[in-house]
Amino acid sequence: MMDFGKKRALIIDDSPAMCSSLRNTLSNFGITRCETSNSANEAVFRIRQREFDIIVCDYCLGEGSDGQQILEQLRKSALIAPTVAFLMVTAERGYEKVVSCAELAPDDYLLKPFTAETMRIRLERVFEKKDVFAPIYVLISDAKPEEAIAECDRILNLKSKFSIDLIKLKGELLIALGRHEDARLLYEQIIAARAIPWARIGLAKTLSMAGQAAEAIETLELAIADTPEYMEAYDLLAQQHESLGNTELAQSILEKAVEISPNTLSRQSMVGAMAYRNGDLEKARKAYGIVVDKGKYSFFRSHADFVNLSRVLLDESKYDEALNIIADAKKSFDNTPELELAGSVMQSLIYQGAGRYAESQKALDNALAVKTAHGLHLSDEMSVDMAKSCFLNNKEDEARGLVKDVISNFYDDEKVQKLVRQMLEKVGRADESQNLIENSVSDVIKLNNEGVLLAKSGDLAGAISLLVTASKRMPMNVQVALNAAHALIVDCDRNGWNDDNMQLARKLIEDHVGKHANLEKLKKIHALFKDVSHKFGVRVA
Amino acid sequence: MNSSNVSAIDLKTLLALNIHEIKNLMALLMLRLDAIKSENIDVSDSRLLCHRVNDCMERMLLLFNLQTERLSPSIEAHSPGDFIEEFVQNAIVLAAGKITIDMDVEQAPAYWFFDRDLVEMAMLNAMHNALRYAGKRIVIRATLDNDVLLLSVEDDGNGFPQVILENPIGTLSEQHTDGMGLGLFLAEIIAKAHVNKARQGKLLLHNKDAGHGGVFALQLP
Ligand SMILES: Nc1ncnc2c1ncn2[C@@H]1O[C@H](COP(=O)(O)OP(=O)(O)OP(=O)(O)O)[C@@H](O)[C@H]1O
Ligand SMILES: [Mg+2]
């Protein structure tokens, strides 16, 4: 029998009677340190305060939250480590469906009524599995995905009973590293035995990474036909269609997903964003409205939801409502510089619309001051909003500077360019759009060339300093990142091993490998990285 | 009776029977509880009664759902060895030392794809039946047979009556004395709902030679 004596447990159940029975059961297993919470918010509060080893959570918690949402939010925000055992308890047989179709599953679940013996056995199994996975998780958290994959293989060779989960994890790691060919083979092998949804989704991801959009779409449609409740398939399918320019179809796919599973607020917000991009203000307002409303009970809400909603209202010329939402946000959250900045930018835009120009000017000045004072890095939407306000308040230089930064960061991202173009249209500067975008892109090219030239002329230090700084300013720009990595590796090759620089090079490559695995240049530089490492006897997986 | 077409059953009658059964079980349970107060008695009987009440409820839910939609199992990878071990642990408690329960998972695959909760429901009924009919010993087995997972409950009683062997689910409509005959009927539906590519699951019943007991088995592709 496993010794649970050192484990700390948290029970989340809205029924105090159930809490105390469960606590009793756990104490019979030797667990003396056990806390209970009757609501999701209280539970999150406790989890933020201290680490638990076991969380037992009831699925039905009432008041707009369920155990599955808590689980997803806790895992996604990394509030609980992968080593924490999360056990769901439920009276509903329907939960089985929920788990098998959710992106994130609990470590196990128990159907009420269950015996103490069952609970003990399940807990033991969960920890048995955690022990097997522990070395892999360590490698992942040390940012050593290649080594983590090797460890998966090692355990798989031992014919572990957790093979399926190991294969699943290995597939995710391969995809994160851009090794879609290897991942595809893995998934195809699984599907040959059994067409389980996650294997199909994985396969679709690898197809999309290989540029086979049509095949990816076909695979996803097959997955949806078989298991219509598997939500991740809709997200991916919508993404595929949007990148092919089928924006309305993409939106309707997400809307369908939200209909099936209306409680997942993150997808609701995706609908809002996509509807907004498509100019469908009514749907955007509805979706964001739900996010703001339902998010009220959630520990994980964000002021960005409020800002998004007020942006839609602004576009609908509902100025008072838009201002109210910003005021609401300020009431509902602690006043961080991020909120102050976002709120002020929105206010300046709303005042503009309402013809209250002096107030608009004042709000914008405040936003600019906060930005400089705190050196804040803006999201692309926020940058575009701020640029818009600058244009409207006759601060054209600031406006152009902001646009340039956004475009050079996301120079290959259609969505961002569209956002910028729409904004320029709204401020009556559609004619500038081509020019501004082209200039920003050509500035980046110039900078890249300059860096490459410096490197060629032998001034590697100069090249590194120019390109690394630039890559920090535009982290999404793959060309800048690769050139910077290249300079770092060549410098190492010539002037001797430099661990910090090689780590940085590795990070620059890995940051982009997920999205640009097919880029020839990336493959070459990755190969060079390995060659140089080998030359110095440094092992890379 | 056709098991894939449940609307053929008279739901109303079944529900009424089920509720009746629950009431009987609850009555027994209450008597037992009264007895516990007065004597220092073993509670394993009462535990079995609780299990059976719960079984009845689960069945009602399943029957309800089957009216409107086909049974669509949630197939996930599980370790049959773990599944059987947990199942046997609980069965040992129910058997309360009166019947020996053994398990055999030597030949079980490391993992298999099935709906753990549904299969557990079918196996529980088989276990309750076996506890009722067994002499001294029950064996629970998981094996891989021809690339199909075989889960079985084997007892040493008199074996299944001939009518049941010939038509395990057809007896549903007839009157029973010791139960409703719903258990095997649902087990067959559950087995058949497990489909992998072109193969479908099956419920298999047979008797060992000359009255050496019955074998209940689920075949899951
Ligand atoms: N292990 C067994 N040995 C002998 N006969 C059995 C065994 N299991 C089942 N039977 C026979 O098969 C019949 C049908 O079993 P089934 O489980 O379908 O219904 P039940 O147990 O009678 O009622 P319930 O609906 O409560 O399960 C039983 O009534 C019994 O006659
Ligand atoms: Mg029965």
Side-chain angles (χ1 to χ4, degrees):
Chain A
M1 223 181 259
M2 197 177 271
D3 178 19
F4 290 116
K6 294 212 169 56
K7 310 260 185 231
R8 188 191 286 276
L10 174 66
I11 298 165
I12 312 169
D13 198 312
D14 57 344
S15 138
M18 196 63 196
C19 273
S20 77
S21 298
L22 284 171
R23 179 205 281 251
N24 245 327
T25 308
L26 290 180
S27 86
N28 284 336
F29 303 162
I31 299 172
T32 47
R33 292 181 302 171
C34 181
E35 296 179 27
T36 59
S37 303
N38 298 126
S39 77
N41 282 352
E42 190 192 336
V44 175
F45 176 73
R46 285 181 192 276
I47 290 166
R48 288 209 161 125
Q49 277 190 323
R50 66 170 63 79
E51 285 179 14
F52 293 94
D53 306 296
I54 300 169
I55 296 176
V56 180
C57 180
D58 193 62
Y59 175 56
C60 265
L61 289 170
E63 264 302 297
S65 67
D66 66 49
Q68 183 64 21
Q69 284 175 318
I70 299 187
L71 168 68
E72 288 183 10
Q73 289 165 333
L74 286 174
R75 289 256 192 248
K76 275 188 187 156
S77 57
L79 265 180
I80 52 174
T83 48
V84 177
F86 194 105
L87 228 54
M88 197 77 80
V89 173
T90 168
E92 279 180 70
R93 229 170 228 288
Y95 180 66
E96 193 183 17
K97 269 264 129 55
V98 176
V99 193
S100 68
C101 293
E103 261 168 85
L104 280 163
D107 291 298
D108 207 342
Y109 63 92
L110 289 162
L111 277 178
K112 278 192 248 182
F114 52 85
T115 63
E117 185 61 10
T118 299
M119 187 172 194
R120 192 185 58 75
I121 296 176
R122 295 280 176 90
L123 264 180
E124 282 193 3
R125 297 237 196 290
V126 169
F127 282 109
E128 185 191 346
K129 182 164 159 187
K130 300 262 173 209
D131 283 347
V132 171
F133 279 72
I136 307 174
Y137 286 134
V138 170
L139 290 167
I140 294 175
S141 73
D142 288 351
K144 292 182 179 155
E146 304 267 6
E147 287 88 338
I149 290 172
E151 182 66 14
C152 285
D153 284 332
R154 191 186 66 79
I155 306 172
L156 276 169
N157 277 331
L158 302 174
K159 297 257 170 290
S160 161
K161 70 178 168 191
F162 305 119
S163 299
I164 275 291
D165 303 275
L166 285 162
I167 292 174
K168 189 173 179 195
L169 181 58
K170 181 180 165 187
E172 285 163 10
L173 288 166
L174 286 170
I175 286 185
L177 282 174
R179 288 167 57 182
H180 57 83
E181 264 308 302
D182 297 333
R184 185 174 56 83
L185 292 175
L186 196 71
Y187 290 128
E188 279 174 351
Q189 194 189 322
I190 296 268
I191 293 170
R194 167 84 62 169
I196 31 180
W198 61 257
R200 279 203 171 132
I201 305 290
L203 178 64
K205 280 185 191 159
T206 66
L207 290 168
S208 147
M209 287 165 85
Q212 295 169 267
E215 286 83 350
I217 287 176
E218 196 185 320
T219 307
L220 290 168
E221 283 172 347
L222 216 62
I224 290 177
D226 269 5
T227 18
E229 307 90 349
Y230 204 88
M231 289 299 128
E232 206 189 347
Y234 296 84
D235 300 349
L236 278 174
L237 189 60
Q239 249 174 45
Q240 290 295 319
H241 280 301
E242 189 176 26
S243 65
L244 290 175
N246 308 330
T247 51
E248 261 155 47
L249 181 55
Q251 185 182 327
S252 71
I253 290 167
L254 280 187
E255 281 167 1
K256 176 116 183 282
V258 162
E259 227 171 81
I260 298 175
S261 140
N263 284 333
T264 313
L265 294 186
S266 58
R267 189 168 300 102
Q268 199 69 255
S269 203
M270 277 159 64
V271 170
M274 190 168 296
Y276 186 76
R277 281 199 293 279
N278 289 347
D280 186 345
L281 293 179
E282 197 180 319
K283 290 251 173 68
R285 167 165 38 80
K286 241 174 83 191
Y288 283 135
I290 292 173
V291 177
V292 165
D293 252 17
K294 288 205 181 157
K296 281 208 175 101
Y297 302 107
S298 167
F299 229 90
F300 297 91
R301 67 212 177 122
S302 143
H303 67 250
D305 303 333
F306 289 72
V307 172
N308 287 332
L309 178 57
S310 93
R311 189 185 295 117
V312 179
L313 292 166
L314 162 67
D315 282 12
E316 291 183 311
S317 308
K318 297 179 176 161
Y319 305 118
D320 288 338
E321 282 177 59
L323 281 174
N324 282 340
I325 293 292
I326 295 298
D328 247 11
K330 291 195 170 175
K331 257 185 272 164
S332 319
F333 295 93
D334 293 337
N335 193 15
T336 57
E338 284 82 4
L339 171 58
E340 178 74 22
L341 174 62
S344 299
V345 170
M346 280 320 296
Q347 278 168 333
S348 76
L349 287 171
I350 301 165
Y351 287 136
Q352 264 293 332
R356 293 156 68 173
Y357 301 116
E359 285 159 291
S360 171
Q361 182 82 43
K362 211 174 122 204
L364 176 61
D365 287 342
N366 183 39
L368 287 166
V370 174
K371 180 177 183 245
T372 341
H374 296 272
L376 291 182
H377 195 84
L378 302 180
S379 71
D380 39 347
E381 279 109 345
M382 202 75 279
S383 297
V384 174
D385 281 341
M386 196 164 197
K388 182 178 175 190
S389 174
C390 286
F391 273 126
L392 293 171
N393 282 299
N394 303 317
K395 292 185 192 293
E396 281 150 35
D397 290 344
E398 280 94 337
R400 293 203 182 91
L402 283 161
V403 169
K404 216 172 111 176
D405 278 353
V406 178
I407 296 284
S408 37
N409 194 6
F410 296 93
Y411 79 108
D412 61 346
D413 190 331
E414 267 300 313
K415 269 194 252 170
V416 175
Q417 295 201 2
K418 191 170 158 193
L419 202 65
V420 170
R421 254 183 262 119
Q422 282 174 342
M423 181 273 285
L424 288 170
E425 258 166 51
K426 277 182 204 153
V427 299
R429 290 173 187 267
D431 52 323
E432 269 193 51
S433 137
Q434 200 54 28
N435 222 333
L436 207 50
I437 291 176
E438 269 171 19
N439 276 345
S440 311
V441 173
S442 72
D443 279 355
V444 178
I445 295 173
K446 232 193 284 169
L447 181 139
N448 264 322
N449 289 342
E450 216 173 295
V452 173
L453 222 64
L454 279 173
K456 278 209 176 113
S457 71
D459 183 3
L460 282 169
I464 290 174
S465 120
L466 182 77
L467 291 166
V468 169
T469 321
S471 77
K472 280 187 188 134
R473 195 160 47 93
M474 38 187 120
M476 303 302 287
N477 190 312
V478 61
Q479 298 295 340
V480 174
L482 289 180
N483 286 331
H486 189 250
L488 288 163
I489 300 167
V490 172
D491 177 64
C492 204
D493 190 22
R494 288 202 198 139
N495 303 323
W497 185 257
N498 179 331
D499 207 52
D500 286 348
N501 280 358
M502 285 301 268
Q503 291 291 350
L504 179 57
R506 178 179 178 151
K507 191 176 173 316
L508 285 167
I509 298 170
E510 277 172 4
D511 280 352
H512 291 275
V513 88
K515 244 175 108 183
H516 300 281
N518 287 317
L519 208 61
E520 279 310 313
K521 184 168 175 178
L522 188 140
K523 287 186 200 160
K524 271 192 204 145
I525 292 177
H526 202 180
L528 182 67
F529 175 83
K530 285 185 184 170
D531 287 348
V532 172
S533 300
H534 281 308
K535 181 177 150 189
F536 287 94
V538 178
R539 219 184 66 84
V540 286
Chain B
M1 186 178 304
N2 178 357
S3 67
S4 60
N5 178 9
V6 189
S7 50
I9 342 167
D10 181 2
L11 183 71
K12 223 167 117 187
T13 322
L14 282 177
L15 290 182
L17 273 171
N18 239 316
I19 289 171
H20 223 90
E21 176 85 357
I22 293 177
K23 286 178 126 180
N24 280 330
L25 292 167
M26 293 301 278
L28 277 172
L29 191 58
M30 276 153 98
L31 292 173
R32 293 280 151 84
L33 286 174
D34 287 340
I36 290 173
K37 241 188 336 200
S38 50
E39 298 158 49
N40 192 3
I41 93 169
D42 177 23
V43 294
S44 60
D45 285 4
S46 318
R47 197 174 271 134
L48 182 57
L49 288 171
C50 285
H51 270 251
R52 286 175 59 190
V53 169
N54 188 50
D55 279 2
C56 285
M57 314 245 227
E58 294 286 3
R59 282 173 180 184
M60 285 203 283
L61 278 174
L62 191 59
L63 285 169
F64 248 136
N65 292 336
L66 283 171
Q67 291 299 299
T68 51
E69 55 194 305
R70 293 187 67 115
L71 183 60
S72 76
S74 300
I75 308 275
E76 299 247 2
H78 300 283
S79 151
D82 285 357
F83 172 78
I84 294 295
E85 193 194 323
E86 178 186 315
F87 187 75
V88 166
Q89 290 295 336
N90 281 309
I92 287 173
V93 177
L94 291 183
K98 287 173 215 142
I99 292 170
T100 325
I101 308 218
D102 289 323
M103 74 171 188
D104 169 15
V105 292
E106 290 293 304
Q107 312 293 323
Y111 60 89
W112 202 255
F113 294 92
F114 58 95
D115 184 319
R116 183 178 65 183
D117 298 333
L118 284 179
V119 170
E120 186 186 21
M121 182 171 170
M123 291 287 284
L124 266 176
N125 170 59
M127 171 60 89
H128 293 164
N129 288 350
L131 285 172
R132 202 158 61 207
Y133 297 107
K136 298 198 289 281
R137 182 164 179 254
I138 297 173
V139 186
I140 320 265
R141 230 185 283 278
T143 51
L144 192 59
D145 178 46
N146 259 327
D147 209 28
V148 179
L149 178 69
L150 203 66
L151 299 175
S152 63
V153 178
E154 196 180 308
D155 65 57
D156 59 354
N158 292 329
F160 294 96
Q162 199 55 35
V163 274
I164 301 269
L165 284 178
E166 276 159 19
N167 189 2
I169 57 165
T171 46
L172 184 60
S173 46
E174 288 139 39
Q175 277 302 317
H176 278 274
T177 42
D178 42 0
M180 288 175 295
L182 248 186
L184 293 177
F185 174 76
L186 290 177
E188 158 128 331
I189 294 185
I190 289 170
K192 281 193 167 166
H194 282 76
V195 177
N196 184 13
K197 308 252 154 81
R199 293 176 302 165
Q200 192 177 27
K202 266 194 215 134
L203 165 69
L204 300 177
L205 299 181
H206 73 268
N207 286 337
K208 291 182 289 186
D209 300 335
H212 282 79
V215 180
F216 165 100
L218 296 173
Q219 226 186 26
L220 306 174

